[in-house]
Structure formats: structure tokens, C-alpha cells
Amino acid sequence: MTPPTTGLPAENTTDNNDHLVQSDDPEHPANLIPSLCAKFWTLGWVTGTGGGASIRDGDLVYLAPSGVQKELMKPSDIYVLSLAAQAQSLSRRQRVYLRSPPVYKPSQCTPLFLAAFTKRNAGCCIHTHSHWAVLVTLILEQQGSKEFRINNIEQIKGFGKGFQKSGNLGYHDTLVIPVIENTAHEEDLTEFLEEAMDKYPDTYAVLVRRHGVYVWGDNVHKAKTQCESLDYLFQLAVEMKQLGLPWITDIEPTIPTRKD
Ligand SMILES: CSCCC(=O)C(=O)COP(=O)(O)O
Ligand SMILES: [Zn+2]
């Protein structure tokens, strides 16, 4: 699926480029963001307008409006931004939208989503306010820790090895997710998210203390499955903590002996 593109910044177009969000294809980003967010709402990931998702298709980035019920969005509510036009913009804070819905402001998460697209070439970035993510950051806060670490759990295999690396983590590998501190305004998280990406080049996610998590992937499928795997692991970790079980164990890899 290749959506049509004008390649022109918004001020050079004569209309609002509504065609960029009009498609019968359910896989078109303008259709997929509302349908994904409706699913995420049922998981408690985008409750009360919090959280959201953004998709990149080539140069075009599709974004939700700010402060709307994310599970009720329509394709006509979606913003479209050109990364190339944005890169040419003199001000990093001023965004160049090819398409803007008339009555909204763009999501406050926009600069964080753009960081995943520009620094990691991600195809999709998901931001959740999941209880499990927030609880894990609270447990880590008590421990004075800025990293979530877990190993020897099967679901760890749901994560890629890292940026520009092929294959997934193994059962015995340790999954490490950095934690950044929350800020009063979502946009102000950007510099800390970027710092965490630089410090942890292979991470596909960053936790935000007392707030939630940002998870990305090369495409929608990978971002969604990594986000699901991570939420599973966060829930498991909270329940393990309640049972007094450690997140890191020193189970040694064994060579399996198969008897046929
Ligand atoms: C109650 S949500 C506060 C803002 C936030 O954390 C968030 O993720 C949603 O921001 P948006 O601008 O996309 O509504
Ligand atoms: Zn948020």
C-alpha cells in the first residue's frame, strides 16, 4: 500500500490534502491508527485521551490529534507530516503538516514519535499509559533504579535484538528497558527519550516514570507485538514482585537432549 503524496509542504498546497487520509484499505495508516487505538483502549493502554500511536509510511507520518478519545478517532481526524519537509524546517519545534484536521491540535506525543522515526527508522511508535508499565516504574523508583531488567522468561523472545540487528532475543538473554523521569509537559520528554535512545541503542522501548511507555518497531506488526510482549512482561513482573520472586535469575543455558 503506497498512499499518494504531493511532496509539497502544506503552505504550497491549495487544499488540505484530504486525499492523504482517504482510503478503502484497512491497512492504510489513516484507517489503522483509529482501529489500533480502539483495540488499545480495551487493554487500558489509551484511557482518558492518554497514549496513542503514530505510523510512518516512507516519508509520510500519520498522527492523532491531542486530547481526543483515542478509541473514537476517525481517519478524517488524522494529521499527516512529511519528514523531509520537517527536516528542512528552520525550527525543530515548528511542524510542517501536509494535512491538518480543522478543529484540533496535533498530539503532544508528536516529537517523541518523530524521534523513533528519525533516530531508529521505525515504521510505527505506540505510547501507552498501561497500569503495568506505570507500576513497574513505581517498583523501580523504590529500588532507585533507572532500568527494567528481566531474563529467563519465554516472552522475551518477542523482541528484536536491536537496531539494524537481525533476529530476536533468546530465552536466556536479558531484556533491558531504560526509564526516564516524567516531565510536566509530554513534549519536554523528547530530549530525555533521545538521550535514552543514544545510551541504549538496541532498545525498542523507553519507560516514563509514573506515566507509561513508548514502544516502536520497524513496522506496525513489530511495534504492536513488542508492545504486547512488553505489557505481558510488565504485568508478570509486578505479579512476580508481589510473590517475592526475582526478575533476574542465573539459570544457565543447557544443551537439550532429544530422545525420539
Ligand atoms: C490524560 S493524557 C495527558 C497527555 C498524555 O500523556 C498523552 O499521552 C496524550 O497526549 P495527546 O496530546 O496525544 O492527547
Ligand atoms: Zn502520555
Side-chain angles (χ1 to χ4, degrees):
M1 170 271 327
T2 309
T5 170
T6 65
L8 294 169
E11 59 266 31
N12 290 347
T13 57
T14 51
D15 62 23
N16 193 24
N17 284 324
D18 287 344
H19 66 279
L20 291 176
V21 297
Q22 292 165 346
S23 169
D24 293 333
D25 180 357
E27 298 296 310
H28 186 286
N31 296 329
L32 210 42
I33 291 175
S35 67
L36 283 175
C37 283
K39 290 191 181 101
F40 295 164
W41 183 80
T42 66
L43 299 170
W45 288 4
V46 295
T47 307
T49 78
S54 176
I55 296 173
R56 179 183 69 80
D57 187 16
D59 177 54
L60 299 184
V61 173
Y62 296 79
L63 296 145
S66 181
V68 301
Q69 296 181 76
K70 302 292 190 325
E71 75 282 12
L72 301 182
M73 279 186 300
K74 303 181 298 296
S76 58
D77 296 331
I78 299 297
Y79 284 81
V80 186
L81 176 149
S82 155
L83 283 179
Q86 185 61 42
Q88 285 164 14
S89 166
L90 292 178
S91 159
R92 200 176 173 210
R93 281 187 174 259
Q94 193 193 337
R95 308 247 145 64
V96 186
Y97 291 98
L98 293 180
R99 200 261 167 187
S100 303
V103 292
Y104 298 118
K105 285 183 179 169
S107 169
Q108 291 175 34
C109 311
T110 297
L112 293 112
F113 292 144
L114 292 181
F117 299 145
T118 56
K119 285 177 81 72
R120 290 291 174 270
N121 203 28
C124 176
C125 186
I126 299 167
H127 170 42
T128 89
H129 284 198
S130 158
H131 278 202
W132 304 116
V134 175
L135 280 168
V136 160
T137 69
L138 294 173
I139 293 168
L140 290 168
E141 187 175 51
Q142 277 199 327
Q143 299 170 356
S145 177
K146 288 185 176 292
E147 275 178 357
F148 170 70
R149 288 178 164 265
I150 194 161
N151 69 356
N152 292 309
I153 299 289
E154 183 70 8
Q155 197 72 33
I156 288 168
K157 292 180 183 173
F159 288 85
K161 278 196 175 139
F163 184 47
Q164 292 176 335
K165 292 184 177 165
S166 61
N168 277 20
L169 293 180
Y171 170 65
H172 293 291
D173 288 331
T174 299
L175 175 71
V176 183
I177 308 291
V179 184
I180 59 172
E181 302 306 319
N182 200 26
T183 54
H185 303 287
E186 191 104 20
E187 294 103 321
D188 297 336
L189 289 169
T190 313
E191 62 179 291
F192 302 107
L193 183 100
E194 290 180 342
E195 256 177 46
M197 285 173 157
D198 292 340
K199 192 169 168 197
Y200 298 82
D202 287 329
T203 193
Y204 283 102
V206 174
L207 278 159
V208 185
R209 186 102 61 205
R210 296 173 174 269
H211 181 154
V213 66
Y214 279 84
V215 187
W216 57 90
D218 296 347
N219 51 44
V220 173
H221 166 81
K222 287 189 179 169
K224 179 172 175 287
T225 54
Q226 292 192 142
C227 199
E228 286 166 358
S229 294
L230 206 47
D231 207 56
Y232 170 102
L233 289 168
F234 290 155
Q235 177 172 2
L236 188 74
V238 170
E239 290 169 351
M240 287 169 83
K241 176 78 181 163
Q242 287 168 338
L243 294 168
L245 300 169
W247 296 344
I248 293 287
T249 55
D250 57 3
I251 301 167
E252 290 296 315
T254 51
I255 299 159
T257 50
R258 192 176 289 171
K259 291 191 183 105
D260 293 321

